[in-house]
Amino acid sequence: MALSEKQRQLIEEIGIYHENNGFQPAVARVMGLLLVSNTPELSFDEISETLNISKSATSNALNMLLNTGHIEYTTFSGDRKRYFRIRSSNWRDHFAKKMEDLSVLNCLLKKVLEVRKRENPMYDQKLNDFISFLDYMKGELPRMIEEWEKTRS
Amino acid sequence: MALSEKQRQLIEEIGIYHENNGFQPAVARVMGLLLVSNTPELSFDEISETLNISKSATSNALNMLLNTGHIEYTTFSGDRKRYFRIRSSNWRDHFAKKMEDLSVLNCLLKKVLEVRKRENPMYDQKLNDFISFLDYMKGELPRMIEEWEKTRS
DNA sequence: AAATTAGTTCTGTAAATTATGAACCAATGA
DNA sequence: TCATTGGTTCATAATTTACAGAACTAATTT
């Protein structure tokens, strides 16, 4: 696998991005490589060798990414290897997960208001505001996505 | 600090949420406590004792949260203690950070298209779609927030 | 049947993270 | 001036994580 210096750097940047999203380093680099490489589908060995990670780490990373639906693989008849690539739905899912996370937060904040008794209701106003903002966002987002679909068809 | 069982559980839930957002456990619990406690402002000792974390861990957690702007404190004349509370702008900032993170991703994806040469341009289409979706979102979001402001005034 | 391929699984461990407790310090109070 | 309060800093201990390397397996090829 020949990669330019720029490509290698970008793999690291993408790696760090994904580390910050909770992936372990090797897993994050695999995502980076699959995105940045000139060929979209890479074999186990190509990944392992290009990133200089052991077979076990490669195996774990690929299985983790397969299980979480971030990647998938194809095969070719007469070739025992699997060729891994990023799932095309990956980015939409990534976005959805971010939104889902805000929804989890919203749920927690609603519980907060149920569970505590603040002497000072003024202080809760801001929290209520944010909760209703998140509710509003959640309601409007689908419409917004639909709007976007329209602009491009 | 008297806390109900429900409150303690919720502190843990909020703690885990914040751990998943990159906070260390003790820091995440402090955020949970400040949110869930009946009184919005708590002293160093109240935090340390209620959460059963050492003074040093409490000190580190509070300073970390102060530095990152998640909490602030007030003082009262004739009382040497500081009373810590969540900054009211915290939730808006949290939301902004999530959006900013998507913007970082978008920037990385644009670099991807610059850096690699894919034989198969079909495969890049999906990526381009997602990039323009994020661009669209980034453009529309401020308008959407403004819209929300209107609904509540 | 033996060797090779394409991985997987199982320790072991280096490194990083997270928290503790003790010592410390500066400001206030007795 | 001595003790106490409200913390901070440091060394270190306890986990946790993240990976390498070796042994293993099931399918294929020779």
Side-chain angles (χ1 to χ4, degrees):
Chain A
M1 257 276 72
L3 290 175
S4 70
E5 193 49 39
K6 282 201 173 185
Q7 278 172 312
R8 293 207 170 270
Q9 276 172 21
L10 192 49
I11 289 171
E12 291 308 309
E13 280 189 73
I14 293 167
I16 288 167
Y17 176 83
H18 279 121
E19 279 185 48
N20 291 334
N21 276 267
F23 285 16
Q24 63 195 75
V27 176
R29 298 306 177 283
V30 171
M31 286 296 284
L33 173 59
L34 289 177
L35 192 59
V36 161
S37 83
N38 295 328
T39 53
E41 289 161 357
L42 297 179
S43 72
F44 187 104
D45 283 339
E46 283 172 320
I47 293 166
S48 175
E49 282 163 24
T50 310
L51 294 176
N52 284 306
I53 54 182
S54 66
K55 282 172 66 169
S56 53
T58 306
S59 176
N60 288 333
L62 290 174
N63 285 321
M64 190 274 184
L65 290 170
L66 284 169
N67 288 332
T68 53
H70 288 92
I71 64 171
E72 62 191 358
Y73 63 83
T74 18
T75 51
F76 300 97
S77 68
D79 184 350
R80 210 139 58 89
K81 285 186 181 111
R82 291 178 293 174
Y83 292 85
F84 300 91
R85 65 173 175 233
I86 290 179
R87 280 186 62 189
S88 58
S89 63
N90 180 61
W91 304 112
R92 293 296 194 102
D93 294 350
H94 181 83
F95 180 79
K97 218 186 83 198
K98 287 251 177 225
M99 292 304 124
E100 172 58 21
D101 192 56
L102 283 174
S103 176
V104 168
L105 174 63
N106 203 17
C107 182
L108 288 173
L109 295 180
K110 284 173 181 172
K111 279 199 205 175
V112 164
L113 290 177
E114 278 173 32
V115 148
R116 73 183 182 188
K117 5 182 174 1
R118 285 252 163 117
E119 289 77 10
N120 176 357
M122 284 256 288
Y123 210 83
D124 284 352
Q125 189 54 46
K126 299 270 184 182
L127 195 52
N128 258 311
D129 279 2
F130 187 67
I131 287 172
S132 72
F133 172 66
L134 286 182
D135 280 335
Y136 176 82
M137 284 295 294
K138 197 176 180 177
E140 289 298 298
L141 219 67
R143 205 192 41 68
M144 211 165 140
I145 291 171
E146 205 178 305
E147 206 67 31
W148 173 74
E149 306 273 13
K150 260 191 265 170
T151 67
R152 60 195 358 270
S153 58
Chain B
M1 259 273 74
L3 289 176
S4 71
E5 192 49 38
K6 282 201 172 187
Q7 279 172 309
R8 293 207 171 271
Q9 274 173 21
L10 192 49
I11 289 172
E12 292 307 310
E13 279 190 73
I14 293 168
I16 288 167
Y17 176 84
H18 278 122
E19 278 185 48
N20 291 335
N21 277 268
F23 285 18
Q24 60 196 76
V27 175
R29 299 305 177 283
V30 171
M31 285 297 283
L33 173 58
L34 289 177
L35 191 60
V36 162
S37 82
N38 295 328
T39 53
E41 288 161 359
L42 297 179
S43 72
F44 187 104
D45 283 340
E46 283 173 321
I47 293 166
S48 174
E49 283 164 23
T50 309
L51 294 176
N52 284 307
I53 54 182
S54 65
K55 283 173 65 169
S56 51
T58 307
S59 176
N60 288 333
L62 290 174
N63 285 322
M64 189 275 187
L65 290 170
L66 284 169
N67 288 331
T68 53
H70 289 91
I71 63 170
E72 60 191 358
Y73 63 84
T74 18
T75 51
F76 300 98
S77 68
D79 184 349
R80 208 139 59 88
K81 284 188 183 107
R82 291 179 293 173
Y83 292 86
F84 300 91
R85 64 173 176 234
I86 290 179
R87 279 185 62 190
S88 58
S89 64
N90 180 60
W91 303 110
R92 294 295 196 104
D93 294 348
H94 181 83
F95 181 79
K97 217 186 82 198
K98 287 252 177 224
M99 293 304 124
E100 172 58 23
D101 192 55
L102 284 174
S103 174
V104 168
L105 174 62
N106 203 17
C107 182
L108 288 173
L109 296 180
K110 284 174 181 172
K111 279 199 207 175
V112 165
L113 291 176
E114 280 174 32
V115 149
R116 74 182 182 188
K117 4 182 175 3
R118 286 254 162 116
E119 289 75 12
N120 176 357
M122 285 256 290
Y123 210 83
D124 284 352
Q125 190 53 46
K126 300 270 185 182
L127 195 52
N128 257 311
D129 279 2
F130 187 66
I131 287 171
S132 73
F133 172 67
L134 286 181
D135 280 334
Y136 176 81
M137 284 296 294
K138 196 176 180 178
E140 289 297 299
L141 219 67
R143 205 191 42 66
M144 209 165 139
I145 290 171
E146 206 179 304
E147 206 67 32
W148 174 74
E149 306 274 12
K150 260 192 264 170
T151 66
R152 57 193 1 268
S153 58

